[in-house]
Structures are given as structure tokens and as C-alpha cells.
Amino acid sequence: MKPTSLSQDDAYHLAAKEYGGAIERLARGYEGDQSQVQDLVQDIHTALWRSFEYFEGQCSVRSWVYRIGHNVAVSHIKASRRAKPGVLVGLETITELPSIDDQSKATEESQLRSRLLATIHRLKPADRQVMLLYLEELTAEEIGDVTGLSAGAVSTRIHRVKVLLAEAFTKEGDK
């Protein structure tokens, strides 16, 4: 897709069609309150449409969509945290996984996915952003394009979170 040769509407529609699922996953990854997920999805789509007015192909459309999506999601989370302060923790201080609400109603895979996402929700926005992009299978370089971090810093953060999660899930499995 060559967005600079397309109209703003056409470029948006192509990007929304190709990356709509990723935008929804991203919104679910950032917003823990299911009633707010669709609002965040709409905000991301609105910002994405507006962004194609000035997009000049300085990066891939994929990176652009994720950059816009993550910027909107981070702003959304910061605004909601100001409205109702909660506890976000850094990699250094996160020690336990959230508990599972109802083990009898979900499969083990679903439980693990829910716990992983809940743990990621507890991370500070910068760490959460890196992990959500990693789970979307972006490379360290692509994540760097979105976040402004170097590829090395991205790789380091990913490794630290993976070690943290492996330790936490291993401890849970030993109980």
C-alpha cells in the first residue's frame, strides 16, 4: 500500500481493514475495563484517520498504525489513571500474578492468557507498550520505531519481562 498516493479516506480504510483486529487487541491490552475498550478502539480509529492527512511514508504503514494506536492508548490510560488513580508498578517491583476469578468456568489456556494480560495491565505504560507490541510479533526494530526506544533497549525490556513472567508462572505452577 502506498499511502502517499491515496486519499486520506482511502489510506485509512485500507489500514483499518488490514489492522482492525490488531487495533482491537491493542485496545484490550491497554484497557482492563471492558466497557471502555470500544471507546478506546473508536478513539484509535479516529486518530488513525486524522493521521493519514500528514502521513508521508516515513515508516511502514504497520509501524504507523501501531504508533498511532499506542500513543492514543497511552494517553487514554494516563487520563483514566488521573481520573481514578490505581497502582501501576515497574518491572522491579512487580512480584505476584493477579489471582484467577473463576477457575471452574475457564479452560487452562484461557486462564493463562487472562493472567498474562492482567499482569501486563499492571506494568507501567512504557513496559506495557513494548510487551503488547512484542505479542503482536513486531520486531525489536519495529517496536523501536513505535516507541522511540533503541532496538537494544526494546530487547532488554522484553527479556526482563519474559524472565519475570516465567518466574511468576513457575512459582504459581509449583504451588
Side-chain angles (χ1 to χ4, degrees), residues 41-61:
V41 168
Q42 288 176 344
D43 291 346
I44 292 170
H45 277 282
T46 301
L48 185 61
W49 176 79
R50 287 182 183 145
S51 76
F52 279 113
E53 183 176 351
Y54 55 86
F55 179 69
E56 297 176 352
Q58 58 271 44
C59 62
S60 70
V61 173

Side-chain angles (χ1 to χ4, degrees), residues 11-28:
Y12 163 74
H13 287 295
L14 284 172
K17 182 178 180 181
E18 187 167 349
Y19 300 105
I23 289 170
E24 289 188 29
R25 287 188 301 275
L26 184 142
R28 284 192 310 270

Side-chain angles (χ1 to χ4, degrees), residues 12 20 24 39 53 72 74 78 80 88 91 108 125 130-131 148 157 161:
Y12 163 74
E24 289 188 29
D39 287 343
E53 183 176 351
V72 171
V74 167
K78 285 180 179 179
S80 65
L88 292 178
L91 293 176
E108 184 176 329
V130 168
M131 286 312 296
R157 282 185 189 219
V161 173

Side-chain angles (χ1 to χ4, degrees), residues 2-143:
K2 228 177 161 185
T4 54
S5 64
L6 298 174
S7 72
Q8 178 181 358
D9 287 340
D10 290 341
Y12 163 74
H13 287 295
L14 284 172
K17 182 178 180 181
E18 187 167 349
Y19 300 105
I23 289 170
E24 289 188 29
R25 287 188 301 275
L26 184 142
R28 284 192 310 270
Y30 270 99
E31 180 56 70
D33 181 353
Q34 292 306 308
S35 65
Q36 295 294 312
V37 170
Q38 283 307 311
D39 287 343
L40 178 54
V41 168
Q42 288 176 344
D43 291 346
I44 292 170
H45 277 282
T46 301
L48 185 61
W49 176 79
R50 287 182 183 145
S51 76
F52 279 113
E53 183 176 351
Y54 55 86
F55 179 69
E56 297 176 352
Q58 58 271 44
C59 62
S60 70
V61 173
R62 180 180 188 206
S63 292
W64 185 256
V65 169
Y66 280 110
R67 181 181 298 165
I68 298 300
H70 279 278
N71 288 341
V72 171
V74 167
S75 296
H76 171 85
I77 294 302
K78 285 180 179 179
S80 65
R81 294 290 182 231
R82 280 192 298 268
K84 53 179 181 177
V87 178
L88 292 178
V89 295
L91 293 176
E92 304 79 31
T93 57
I94 193 167
T95 58
E96 60 185 56
L97 295 171
S99 63
I100 301 170
D101 294 332
D102 189 359
Q103 294 181 358
S104 63
K105 290 185 181 178
T107 65
E108 184 176 329
E109 185 176 310
S110 177
Q111 291 171 349
L112 288 173
R113 195 175 13 252
S114 295
R115 291 172 65 211
L116 174 63
L117 199 52
T119 302
I120 290 172
H121 279 158
R122 293 178 58 207
L123 294 172
K124 290 181 180 177
D127 294 328
R128 183 185 319 166
Q129 181 180 28
V130 168
M131 286 312 296
L132 290 172
L133 289 170
Y134 173 75
L135 292 172
E136 286 292 329
E137 300 180 357
L138 271 71
T139 65
E141 185 176 310
E142 290 172 320
I143 294 171

